[in-house]
Amino acid sequence: MPVKTDYERDFIFDIDAYLIDDYPSMTMTIRRSVCAMALEELDSQELEIIVDDCVSEYSRTQLQLQKKEEEEKEE
């Protein structure tokens, strides 16, 4: 059975491109400042929580999967 190894798995968000599209009058100087502020606020842990929520939803509806920590607590 062939295994599909090519699938979309990266999340790339170009803050500068977003600002250019949605705030066309914003100068590069302002965009640099806003990008720096946004990068300070972004937290990979928040993204991990979103991914964990998706895993939880998928496991409830499709599979019987649990995060490693939850399996250890049940034992």
Side-chain angles (χ1 to χ4, degrees), residues 40-57:
E40 286 179 16
E41 293 291 322
L42 288 171
D43 181 6
S44 64
Q45 187 174 13
E46 291 175 16
L47 295 174
E48 290 170 358
I49 290 169
I50 292 169
V51 172
D52 287 343
D53 289 345
C54 292
V55 169
S56 178
E57 176 65 24

